[in-house]
């Protein structure tokens, strides 16, 4: 026994020696319209390689992945590697008109994706209009060869992609939404791995199934790829152990349900330790509003034990928090902790050089003859960060910045503090005058290696709701959060600077605040925005430009020769 295990160890040492150099992997993404049927509706949807959800990319920590994106569709497209920091190489990051112009129909772009310290589950998605509704997939980053998970090796790994399905064409949904000025049309179903599941019309035969064997452990690699809502998720009679979030390990967190916001990823262990039976895995939206103006149905998949048994019909159903239970959502998210071990240390900035305070608001703008709204609306929705509605330029900010042609494309006056201070979370009678934002393309300049603290403050203008804020090019530590107005003298005392979770997408609680810290160590142009698609379309976003450092190795790398032309 002993000899064998020594041989095994020796074998792994050799392997890890041979493979300590990272690999370069190649993928091809063909973007095209392909035929799909859900809810008895067959239609063409824009997909990658014909798949909905799209293909999973699998790499190891530190690898480089080259993805040849070929646009055979009839719509502009860009692809973003959500959570990949792309050190010094914003050129492949993907947000349309922030780092690149779109890949036009018939065009292609070979995107280099540079992994660094990410490990766990991330995802990729289109970053152009609302194309990400059907263009998205998992991005799995395994430990380097010769290293192991910091938790018991699972027997099997399964993807769990939460998504949405519209019977209507998504580009039409998007255009009606933009032109109309109101809320978007709700999706017709939620999906798990592309399938609505048993509870929807004509969907039962295709419900997603996960085979499990009693006594084994399963790793669910999960993303909420839905467009417009946070989600609750549970598996009947099984507890879930979260071990990773946003491509970083967490301390094991055991819970009967989880909350996951659009853009967020979670790694979850499930032990098949219940009597042989069929159990529903279920997900539904969380929306802190008392109204039901959102998709409030439930998608299910089935966790099926193998072996001979008589199963409950229908399968056992899990209990989940009520759709508007904001405490349940907050408590789950606030319980996440970094693993912070010797192998996976953390590095929370303790001395802060730049302190930012950003309000997140839903606003409105009057419909005018020059800027009409379809139908008989008198005002259209807008959204803002520090009262500025982000106006997408017509050309790439990164390209303009790199060539020194910024003026006329963007300004660098994004304010560090909101222009107006008010009782942000007052529940009634917020002055109408506060509703109207300014519009602009303003960036905030950060010095290379500057340590930043950013407090997001949700406001109750028009509608207080959770905002899952996502930063490109960096991960951040979530050091604190709470309901109500942030008060530095009180709230900074309760920060977790010991083991805060490392994330790139964090749900700022409804009428509450979240404080994050990061080091601006990645020169480039990086979008930051709400990951609710309707909010970013209304303008809830802004851009950081991290300046070059003083050395050659701290400057933005030159662009590739095949950047899509503007
Ligand atoms: Cu997941 Cu800017 O995106
Ligand atoms: Cu939002």
């Amino acid at each position: 026994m002993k000899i064998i295990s020594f041989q095994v160890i020796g074998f792994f040492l050799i392997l890890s020696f041979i493979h300590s150099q990272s690999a370069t992997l190649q993928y091809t993404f063909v973007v095209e319209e392909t035929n799909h049927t859900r809810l008895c509706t067959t239609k063409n949807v824009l997909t990658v390689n014909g798949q909905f959800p799209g293909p999973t990319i699998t790499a190891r920590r530190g690898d480089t992945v080259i993805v040849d994106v070929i646009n055979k569709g009839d719509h502009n497209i860009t692809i973003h590697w959500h959570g990949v920091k792309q050190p010094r190489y914003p050129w492949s990051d993907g947000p349309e008109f922030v780092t690149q112009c779109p890949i036009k129909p018939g065009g292609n772009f070979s995107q280099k994706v540079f992994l660094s310290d990410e490990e766990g589950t991330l995802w990729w998605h289109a970053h152009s209009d609302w194309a990400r509704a059907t263009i998205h997939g998992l991005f799995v980053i395994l430990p380097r060869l010769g290293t192991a998970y910091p938790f018991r090796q699972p027997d099997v790994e399964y993807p769990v992609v939460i998504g949405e399905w519209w019977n209507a064409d998504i580009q039409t949904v998007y255009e009606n939404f933009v032109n109309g000025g109101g809320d978007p049309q709700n999706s017709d179903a939620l999906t798990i791995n592309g399938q609505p599941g048993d509870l929807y019309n004509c969907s039962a035969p295709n419900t997603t199934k996960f085979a499990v064997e009693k006594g084994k452990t399963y790793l669910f690699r999960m993303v909420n790829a839905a467009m417009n809502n946070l989600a609750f998720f549970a598996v009947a009679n099984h507890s879930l152990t979260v071990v990773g979030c946003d491509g970083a390990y967490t301390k094991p967190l055991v819970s009967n349900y989880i909350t996951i916001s659009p853009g967020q990823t979670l790694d979850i262990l499930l032990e098949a330790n219940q009597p042989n039976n069929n159990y529903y895995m279920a997900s539904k939206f969380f929306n802190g509003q008392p109204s039901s103006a959102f998709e409030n149905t439930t998608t299910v998949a089935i966790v099926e034990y193998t072996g001979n048994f008589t199963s409950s019909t229908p399968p056992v159903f899990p209990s989940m928090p009520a759709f508007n239970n904001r405490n349940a959502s907050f408590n789950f998210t606030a319980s996440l902790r970094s693993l912070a071990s010797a192998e996976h240390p953390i590095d929370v900035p303790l001395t802060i050089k730049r302190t930012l305070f950003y309000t997140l608001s839903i606003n409105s703008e009057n419909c005018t003859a020059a800027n009409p709204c379809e139908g008989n609306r008198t005002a259209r929705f807008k959204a803002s960060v520090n009262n500025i509605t982000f106006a997408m330029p017509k050309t790439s900010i990164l390209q303009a910045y790199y060539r020194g042609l910024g003026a006329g494309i963007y300004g660098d006056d994004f304010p560090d503090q909101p222009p107006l201070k008010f009782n942000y979370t007052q529940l009634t009678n917020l002055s109408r005058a506060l509703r109207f934002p300014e519009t602009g393309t303003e960036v905030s300049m950060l010095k290379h290696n500057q340590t930043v603290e950013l407090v997001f403050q949700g406001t109750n203008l028009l509608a207080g709701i959770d905002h899952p804020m996502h930063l490109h090019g960096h991960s951040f530590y979530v050091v604190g959060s709470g309901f109500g107005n942030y008060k530095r003298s009180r709230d900074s005392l309760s920060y977790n600077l010991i083991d805060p979770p490392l994330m790139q997408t964090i749900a700022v609680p409804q009428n509450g605040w979240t404080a994050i810290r990061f080091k601006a160590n990645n020169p480039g142009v990086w979008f930051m925005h709400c990951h609710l698609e309707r909010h970013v379309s209304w303008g809830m976003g802004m851009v950081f430009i991290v300046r070059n450092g003083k050395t050659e190795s701290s400057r933005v790398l030159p662009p590739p020769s095949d950047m899509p032309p503007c």
Side-chain angles (χ1 to χ4, degrees), residues 305-317:
Y305 279 65
T306 53
N308 287 325
F309 58 91
T310 320
S311 61
S312 323
T313 329
V316 187
F317 199 84

Side-chain angles (χ1 to χ4, degrees), residues 395-437:
T395 182
S396 142
I397 295 178
L398 172 60
Q399 272 157 303
Y401 166 69
Y402 191 78
R403 297 199 195 114
L405 302 173
I409 310 267
Y410 63 86
D412 57 9
D413 286 330
F414 193 87
D416 287 7
Q417 303 289 324
L420 298 165
K421 305 221 179 334
F422 56 97
N423 179 0
Y424 308 110
T425 55
Q426 181 176 313
L427 289 182
T428 50
N429 300 327
L430 271 167
S431 155
R432 262 187 79 83
L434 292 167
R435 286 187 189 173
F436 304 105

Side-chain angles (χ1 to χ4, degrees), residues 98-124:
V98 177
T99 62
Q100 70 171 85
C101 286
I103 309 168
K104 297 189 179 79
N108 54 274
F109 183 27
S110 177
Q111 293 186 247
K112 287 193 198 65
V113 185
F114 293 109
L115 298 174
S116 52
D117 58 1
E118 303 87 357
E119 187 169 327
T121 305
L122 295 172
W123 65 303
W124 57 266

Side-chain angles (χ1 to χ4, degrees), residues 80 82 123 125 127 263 470 472 527 529 531:
H80 167 55
H82 179 118
W123 65 303
H125 62 80
H127 215 301
H470 171 52
H472 289 222
F527 199 20
H529 60 93
H531 221 288

Side-chain angles (χ1 to χ4, degrees), residues 380-394:
R380 61 169 66 236
F381 286 121
K382 289 280 159 184
S384 65
V385 181
N386 273 355
N387 211 42
I388 299 180
T389 291
F390 185 72
M392 232 1 129
K394 298 269 178 293

Side-chain angles (χ1 to χ4, degrees), residues 360 362 383 465-469 530-532 535-536 540:
L360 308 173
I362 305 297
I465 189 170
D466 286 52
H467 298 291
M469 296 304 293
C530 181
H531 221 288
L532 297 181
H535 291 183
V536 66
M540 189 176 283

Side-chain angles (χ1 to χ4, degrees), residues 199-496:
L199 308 185
Y200 292 93
N201 268 347
C202 353
S203 301
N206 298 315
T207 298
T208 298
K209 299 194 166 91
F210 300 95
V212 304
E213 201 178 316
K214 199 175 163 78
K216 292 197 167 168
T217 304
Y218 297 83
L219 175 61
F220 290 123
R221 294 184 176 272
M222 183 171 183
V223 61
N224 183 351
M227 300 290 277
N228 281 321
N229 280 288
L230 287 78
F232 285 126
F233 171 91
V235 177
N237 294 16
H238 291 75
S239 62
L240 305 168
T241 305
V242 178
V243 292
C245 175
D246 283 10
Y249 295 118
T250 62
K251 291 196 170 74
L253 170 64
V254 182
S255 182
N256 293 328
Y257 72 93
I258 61 134
T259 317
I260 186 165
S261 59
Q264 199 186 359
T265 57
L266 290 171
D267 293 306
I268 299 171
L269 293 176
L270 175 139
E271 264 180 67
N273 56 8
Q274 292 301 303
N276 282 349
N277 204 339
N278 288 341
Y279 299 88
Y280 271 137
M281 166 192 286
S283 183
K284 66 175 185 183
F285 281 155
F286 156 65
N287 179 313
Q289 298 290 312
S291 78
S292 59
F294 69 105
E295 168 60 48
N296 62 356
T297 52
T298 303
T299 178
V300 295
I302 304 175
V303 174
E304 274 187 344
Y305 279 65
T306 53
N308 287 325
F309 58 91
T310 320
S311 61
S312 323
T313 329
V316 187
F317 199 84
S319 66
M320 280 185 287
F323 75 88
N324 59 356
N325 188 341
R326 64 176 201 161
N327 289 324
S329 170
F330 179 87
N331 290 341
F332 173 81
T333 302
S335 301
L336 292 165
R337 297 283 179 276
S338 272
L339 181 58
S341 66
E343 295 75 37
H344 299 281
I346 59 167
D347 183 19
V348 189
L350 297 177
T351 321
I352 296 300
K353 286 283 162 56
R354 184 89 175 265
T355 306
L356 310 174
F357 186 81
Y358 288 1
T359 53
L360 308 173
S361 299
I362 305 297
N363 307 90
S364 68
E365 177 183 87
N366 291 330
C367 305
T368 59
N371 183 13
C373 309
E374 273 173 16
N376 41 20
R377 296 183 66 87
T378 54
R380 61 169 66 236
F381 286 121
K382 289 280 159 184
S384 65
V385 181
N386 273 355
N387 211 42
I388 299 180
T389 291
F390 185 72
M392 232 1 129
K394 298 269 178 293
T395 182
S396 142
I397 295 178
L398 172 60
Q399 272 157 303
Y401 166 69
Y402 191 78
R403 297 199 195 114
L405 302 173
I409 310 267
Y410 63 86
D412 57 9
D413 286 330
F414 193 87
D416 287 7
Q417 303 289 324
L420 298 165
K421 305 221 179 334
F422 56 97
N423 179 0
Y424 308 110
T425 55
Q426 181 176 313
L427 289 182
T428 50
N429 300 327
L430 271 167
S431 155
R432 262 187 79 83
L434 292 167
R435 286 187 189 173
F436 304 105
E438 296 195 25
T439 297
T441 309
E442 293 296 332
V443 311
S444 178
M445 305 295 298
L446 299 176
K447 288 197 188 111
H448 184 249
N449 277 344
Q450 199 164 43
T451 49
V452 180
E453 176 174 306
L454 166 50
V455 175
F456 295 109
Q457 174 69 61
T459 80
N460 198 38
L461 287 174
L462 292 180
I465 189 170
D466 286 52
H467 298 291
M469 296 304 293
H470 171 52
L471 173 60
H472 289 222
H474 299 78
S475 293
F476 49 72
Y477 292 98
V478 180
V479 297
S481 60
F483 289 116
N485 294 337
Y486 175 80
K487 191 170 170 211
R488 180 166 300 280
S489 60
R490 174 194 63 207
D491 294 322
S492 64
L493 300 178
S494 65
Y495 282 175
N496 174 7

